[in-house]
């Protein structure tokens, strides 16, 4: 039982990121409404960010802001222990990824508005019908 | 000056913002600024290529930090060659697009130049960088700019094609990002060299396997390998001409470059071909892509769309060649990056000239074009010969290497597909020539008297001189590149592969 | 020991994600999407990624939702699925 | 399509699930990802940059080149929304409401503004009674939100936050103004020209700092080469460089968020909105 719990704790994040990603991907492929697809896209991207953040976590670590750093430069007596701080690199990468995803989201929304102006609908099957009419 | 590697990317980036700001002072300032920025970029790229040929790989540390900590530009022979190619084509296209941008985007030409420059920044950065995550950010810049520019094209279909491209493009880029994440969890590093060093000590890991597949599938989606190509034909067809002229030759080729870079510099030959033994399967994929692309091209009624399907077939050439697992195949694939970029550029330049004058690229509207636009069509014929693979042009040489490589690897199906696709291209282009040459324009058929002198009254209506000059220059470069392909192979590709 | 919070919030995240893509009203989707982003931000804060959580709170739950509502305002709330 | 989607999703999910078997445990401090590079950053970043927030140090210095392109992506998104949606056709219909009586004047087919007195207000097609509580609260809140945003930008070196977060918060304070009053109020205060110039200017500050470092003989973005320009303890020069870069990022992000919002909500007409 304890082993099983340990396994769940160890892998739960990875499993659930995969489930989230599957939800997002499914919405992107199977949904009919363009805005629903965009929501799927965003879920898909956040799932990947969740994966990266999970990589960086350390059970015993604290947030990656060094405590007694400024003020006195001579305080190097307390050597910084790497194991005490959570890995900052994935966070940096994911800041970039979040911003990229919101940029894509904004452009996609603008496109949706533009498509709606032209066709008065955002449903994919209706759009396809409109296109084949012409 | 040793800042040339950075300047290649920084010059157009700075140029983009200066062009954007200058547009608020005087609208006409944007174009010369853009031109100067890309010119500087081309100049630096040529300089870097000279340096690399003379003294070997250049490493440039961004912000001065040593590689695994900071981001580094690592420019070897392959990079340097593709950089010159990309900046050259971007520069020439900007010269050619002055008139057509004004025609197509009317009051928004300045913004077009800004986005165009950012697109070039993305492509150049993708080629120059030596960092896996930096590659992702730059891929996103190229993608975001292409979404925008595609949506600006055709009023009805453009936005839909762009939105479709966003969905598929985001899946591709996210797969790549996820692959990088798996690599990172196993190696703890993002620098390509460093990752490759650590990976060589890891054997039989499922994580690396997953990382490999995610990265490669992501890149395949971005380069539109056959079953994943659905976004490409619509996207490139409905884009504005000035943009499709640069995105069609460069985007997919740069992605092929990324694939080759990942194969050679990150995962390594041994891992792919010995441990996973994937060569055969992917060569089959390439074969299918070549066949499917050529056959779908046959059924198109629009010249631009037909050419986009030919691009799909050409991607099959390069993917197949790169995965033949021998030196000849890889040489062919790399040489084909250069040649195909030039050929596609020449073809789309001709299409751009036609679209500028005729305002349509439907095959039915192209009748009598040889009489109306002789110079444009001369360039088109030359480019078509090159795609088919007629000897003095450059297309022949890369196909030659690819076929030799296929025979050496025993992949006869791939060789057969190459030859079959050349035949189909020949049929295809002669069909176009027939329409453009033999059938005169429909108004000639109307009156019975004018039958005799309908040929003598053909008016020559050529595209503007700037477009013609670029078109002619590129068409001639096809032959020049063909004649010098031995030099390219011996001074750049073979030293790189060994 | 953060893992019980982590487990619970993650489960909630999955529920809001499913709800966001299955609600038959786009304005509802927008709000659920905001909730999803906010829970995600909470999760990242639990995992010590404070900067990422901060960004997600301002970008994902804040501005994205506003863009979303703006786009729904200019298009339609109707959706078939 | 549904079935195809389901099959693809299951294939991808199964493949990824197969890949999780070998991943290190969640939170394992000994996983390779937490040993190789990250230790170098944690142990040396403060000495080398004097910035205690490691995320900011890595974001703006070690991997500052990434962040520059990320800002360029944001700029791109703003420009894209402008290009896709902006509609310069002048407004044909004007509505003016006489405040004391509530009578609405409708001007058809006129491209000119009517010079109306103080008793009339320029309004949208449909009049929404604006709530005095919301207006007052928002008017009081907005300055504080903006100060907080500036604090987030400036204090990013020491606490969570930085250019992006601060820029987004500042941008949302302006969006809040548009929501609580109406879009015209916002457009009147922050003109399109102002926003466009700021969007380009922010990235230009970033790239410019890098280029100046290059001109002074260092590599691109090497802040330590800025020392001759800024009279400050050379140990802190990197922190100052990072602050400059973050300000650039903040300006761009602020402007772009507002541009995207205005263009989406008014379909590019810049007059009526939420």
């Amino acid at each position: 039982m304890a082993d099983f719990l340990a396994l769940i704790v160890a892998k739960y994040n990875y499993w659930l990121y995969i489930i989230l990603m599957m939800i997002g991907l499914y919405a992107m492929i199977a949904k009919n409404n363009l805005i629903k697809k965009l929501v799927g896209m965003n879920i898909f991207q956040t799932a990947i960010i969740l994966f990266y953040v999970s990589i960086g976590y350390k059970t015993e670590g604290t947030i990656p802001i060094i405590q007694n750093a400024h003020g006195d430069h001579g305080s190097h007596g307390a050597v910084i222990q790497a194991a005490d701080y959570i890995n900052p690199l994935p966070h940096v990468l994911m800041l970039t990824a979040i911003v990229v995803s919101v940029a894509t989201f904004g452009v996609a929304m603008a496109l949706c508005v533009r498509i709606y102006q032209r066709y008065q609908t955002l449903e994919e099957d209706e759009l396809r019908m409109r296109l084949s009419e012409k | 000056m040793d800042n040339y590697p950075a300047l290649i990317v920084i010059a157009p980036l700075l140029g983009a913002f200066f062009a954007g700001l200058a547009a608020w002072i005087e609208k006409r300032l944007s174009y010369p600024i853009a031109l100067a920025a890309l010119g500087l970029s081309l100049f630096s790229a040529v300089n870097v290529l000279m340096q690399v040929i003379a003294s070997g790989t250049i490493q440039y540390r961004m912000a001065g930090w040593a590689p695994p900590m900071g981001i580094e530009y690592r420019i070897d022979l392959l990079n340097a060659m593709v950089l010159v190619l990309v900046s050259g084509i971007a520069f020439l296209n900007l010269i050619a697009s002055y008139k057509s941008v004004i025609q197509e985007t009317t009051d928004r030409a300045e913004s077009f130049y800004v986005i165009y420059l950012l697109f070039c920044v993305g492509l150049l950065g993708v080629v120059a960088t030596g960092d896996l995550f930096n590659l992702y950010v730059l891929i996103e810049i190229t993608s975001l700019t292409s979404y925008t520019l595609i949506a600006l094209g055709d009023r009805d279909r453009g936005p839909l094609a762009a939105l479709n491209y966003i969905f598929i493009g985001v899946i591709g880029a996210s797969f790549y990002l996820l692959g990088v994440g798996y690599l990172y969890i196993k190696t703890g590093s993002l620098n390509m060299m460093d990752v490759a060093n650590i990976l060589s000590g890891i054997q039989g890991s499922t994580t690396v396997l997953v990382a490999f597949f995610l990265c490669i599938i992501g890149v395949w989606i971005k380069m539109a390998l056959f079953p994943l190509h659905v976004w490409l034909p619509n996207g490139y067809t409905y884009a504005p001409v000035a943009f499709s002229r640069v995105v069609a030759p460069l985007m997919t080729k740069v992605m092929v470059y990324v694939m080759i870079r990942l194969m050679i510099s990150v995962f390594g030959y041994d891992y792919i071909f010995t441990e996973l033994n994937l060569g055969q399967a992917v060569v089959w994929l390439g074969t299918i892509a070549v066949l499917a692309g050529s056959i779908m091209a046959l059924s198109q009624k629009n010249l631009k769309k037909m050419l986009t399907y030919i691009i799909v077939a050409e991607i099959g050439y390069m993917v197949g060649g790169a995965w033949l697992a021998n030196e000849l195949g890889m040489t062919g694939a790399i040489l084909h990056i250069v040649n195909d970029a030039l050929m596609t550029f020449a073809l789309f330049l001709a299409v751009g000239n036609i679209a500028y004058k005729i305002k349509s690229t439907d095959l039915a509207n192209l009748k009598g074009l040889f009489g109306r636009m002789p110079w444009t069509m001369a360039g088109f014929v030359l480019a078509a010969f090159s795609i088919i693979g007629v000897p003095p042009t450059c297309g022949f040489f890369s196909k030659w290497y690819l076929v030799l490589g296929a025979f050496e690897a025993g992949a006869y199906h791939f060789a057969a597909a190459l030859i079959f696709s050349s035949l189909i291209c020949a049929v295809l282009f002669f069909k176009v020539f027939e329409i453009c040459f033999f059938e005169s324009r429909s108004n000639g058929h109307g009156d019975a008297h004018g039958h005799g002198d309908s040929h003598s009254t053909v008016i020559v209506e050529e595209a503007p001189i700037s477009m013609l000059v670029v078109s002619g220059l590129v068409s001639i470069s096809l032959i020049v590149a063909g004649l010098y392909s031995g030099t390219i192979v011996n001074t750049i590709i073979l030293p790189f592969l060994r | 020991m953060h893992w019980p919070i982590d487990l619970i919030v993650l489960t909630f995240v999955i529920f809001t994600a499913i709800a966001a893509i299955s609600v038959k009203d786009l304005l509802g989707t927008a709000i659920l999407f905001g909730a999803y982003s906010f829970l995600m931000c909470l999760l990242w804060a639990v995992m010590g990624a404070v900067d990422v959580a901060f960004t997600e709170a301002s970008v994902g739950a804040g501005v994205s939702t506003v863009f979303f509502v703006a786009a729904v305002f200019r298009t339609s709330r109707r959706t078939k699925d | 399509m549904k079935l195809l989607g389901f099959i693809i999703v299951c294939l991808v999910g199964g493949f990824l699930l197969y890949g999780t078997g070998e991943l290190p445990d969640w939170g394992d401090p000994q996983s390779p990802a937490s040993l190789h590079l990250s230790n170098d950053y944690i142990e040396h970043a403060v000495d080398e940059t004097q910035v205690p927030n490691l995320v900011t140090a890595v974001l703006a210095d070690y991997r500052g080149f990434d962040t520059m392109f990320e800002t360029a992506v944001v700029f791109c998104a703003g420009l894209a929304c402008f290009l896709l949606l902006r509609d310069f056709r002048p407004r044909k219909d004007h509505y003016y409401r006489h405040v004391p009586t509530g009578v609405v004047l409708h001007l058809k087919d006129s491209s000119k503004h009517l010079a109306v007195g103080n008793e009339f207000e320029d309004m949208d097609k449909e009049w929404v009674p604006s709530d005095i509580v919301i207006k007052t609260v928002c008017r009081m809140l907005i300055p504080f939100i903006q100060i907080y945003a500036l604090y987030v930008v400036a204090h990013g070196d020491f606490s969570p936050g930085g250019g992006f977060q601060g820029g987004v918060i500042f941008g949302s304070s302006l969006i809040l103004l548009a929501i609580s009053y109406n879009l015209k109020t916002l457009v009147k205060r922050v003109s399109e020209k102002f926003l466009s110039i700021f969007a380009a200017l922010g990235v230009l500050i970033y790239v410019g700092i890098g280029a100046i470092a290059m001109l002074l003989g260092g590599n691109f973005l090497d802040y330590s080469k800025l020392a001759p320009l800024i009279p400050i303890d050379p140990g802190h020069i990197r922190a100052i460089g990072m602050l400059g870069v973050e300000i650039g990022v903040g300006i761009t992000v602020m402007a772009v968020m507002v541009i995207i919002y205005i263009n989406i909500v008014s379909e590019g007409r810049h007059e009526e909105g939420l």
Side-chain angles (χ1 to χ4, degrees), chain B residues 253 309-318 336 340 343 387:
Chain B
K253 261 46 100 190
Y309 279 106
I310 290 180
I311 296 177
V312 174
E314 301 278 335
I315 292 159
Y317 289 14
M318 285 173 270
H336 204 65
D340 190 40
M343 306 186 303
I387 292 257

Side-chain angles (χ1 to χ4, degrees), chain D residues 66-97:
Chain D
D66 267 353
T67 312
M68 183 179 77
F69 285 116
E70 168 194 1
T71 322
V73 168
V74 173
F75 173 76
C76 238
L79 193 58
C81 283
F82 170 80
L83 267 172
L84 289 175
L85 289 173
R86 188 73 176 100
D87 185 350
F88 286 110
R89 278 174 296 176
R91 179 163 58 137
K92 284 284 162 54
D93 289 10
H94 296 264
Y95 297 87
Y96 298 97
R97 181 170 173 275

Side-chain angles (χ1 to χ4, degrees), chain B residues 80-387:
Chain B
M81 182 178 71
V82 182
L83 280 174
V84 172
L85 183 77
V86 172
S87 54
I89 288 183
F91 180 68
L92 286 176
N93 180 46
L94 193 65
I95 296 178
S97 11
Y98 183 61
K99 286 272 170 54
S100 59
V101 168
I102 290 176
Q103 189 195 44
E104 281 180 311
T105 54
T106 53
D107 54 341
R108 273 154 227 211
E110 310 80 42
S111 312
F112 178 90
Y113 296 132
V114 176
I115 292 231
Y116 178 84
L117 280 175
L118 286 171
F119 175 75
C120 299
V121 167
L123 288 180
L124 291 165
V126 165
V127 178
T129 189
D131 189 279
L132 287 168
F133 189 78
N134 196 234
L135 187 64
Y136 164 77
V137 180
L138 287 155
I139 287 180
E140 283 293 331
I141 288 202
T142 27
S143 314
L144 205 65
T145 41
S146 13
Y147 306 148
T148 315
L149 291 175
I150 286 173
L152 280 181
D154 188 277
R155 207 159 257 289
D156 294 337
R157 303 283 191 109
L160 271 173
L163 198 62
N164 209 0
Y165 183 16
I166 287 190
F167 290 132
I168 297 174
V170 164
I171 294 184
S174 300
F175 272 16
Y176 174 78
L177 180 61
L178 201 55
V180 173
Y182 273 82
L183 273 182
Y184 177 68
I185 206 173
K186 203 64 198 171
T187 63
S189 180
L190 291 165
N191 184 278
M192 287 185 189
M193 282 295 283
D194 203 27
V195 169
N197 281 340
I198 298 171
L199 278 185
S200 61
I202 300 172
Q203 308 243 304
S205 153
T206 50
T207 313
V208 177
L209 178 79
V210 173
F212 172 73
F213 274 104
L214 285 171
C215 285
I216 288 289
I217 290 176
V219 175
W220 278 348
I221 291 176
K222 281 281 181 189
M223 76 163 86
L225 185 65
F226 165 63
L228 312 167
H229 74 284
V230 282
W231 56 270
L232 186 137
N234 277 345
Y236 288 5
T237 310
Y238 300 126
V241 174
F243 180 60
S244 59
R245 269 198 306 242
V246 69
V247 76
L250 291 184
M251 185 81 174
T252 50
K253 261 46 100 190
V254 165
M255 287 303 151
V256 172
Y257 158 80
V258 172
M259 181 187 77
I260 291 175
R261 171 65 58 191
L262 287 177
M263 286 167 68
I264 292 179
S265 303
V266 179
F267 292 97
Y269 272 137
D270 288 345
Y271 181 72
I272 298 168
F273 295 119
T274 317
E275 211 175 315
L276 297 181
N277 203 5
L278 276 171
Q280 285 284 322
V282 180
V283 171
W284 270 107
L285 267 180
T287 311
I288 295 170
V290 170
L291 293 178
S294 320
I295 290 170
M296 284 187 293
L298 265 180
S299 64
Q300 300 305 319
K301 292 196 172 52
N302 182 312
L303 182 61
K304 215 170 161 189
K305 204 158 195 175
M306 188 185 99
L307 296 181
T308 59
Y309 279 106
I310 290 180
I311 296 177
V312 174
E314 301 278 335
I315 292 159
Y317 289 14
M318 285 173 270
V319 172
W323 291 73
L324 281 172
N326 57 27
E327 199 179 78
L328 278 169
M330 195 51 111
T331 309
I334 295 174
L335 188 61
H336 204 65
I337 291 183
V338 179
N339 292 349
D340 190 40
L342 288 175
M343 306 186 303
T344 323
F345 187 42
L347 278 177
F348 273 82
L349 276 169
V351 170
N353 293 1
I354 294 171
Y356 185 80
K357 270 290 162 211
I358 315 260
K359 310 252 177 353
S360 160
T361 51
D362 285 341
L363 284 178
N365 293 341
L366 303 183
K367 291 172 182 168
L369 215 57
F370 272 97
R372 285 182 74 189
M373 307 179 78
W375 292 106
T376 301
M377 290 314 288
F380 185 80
V381 169
L382 209 57
F385 279 163
S386 186
I387 292 257

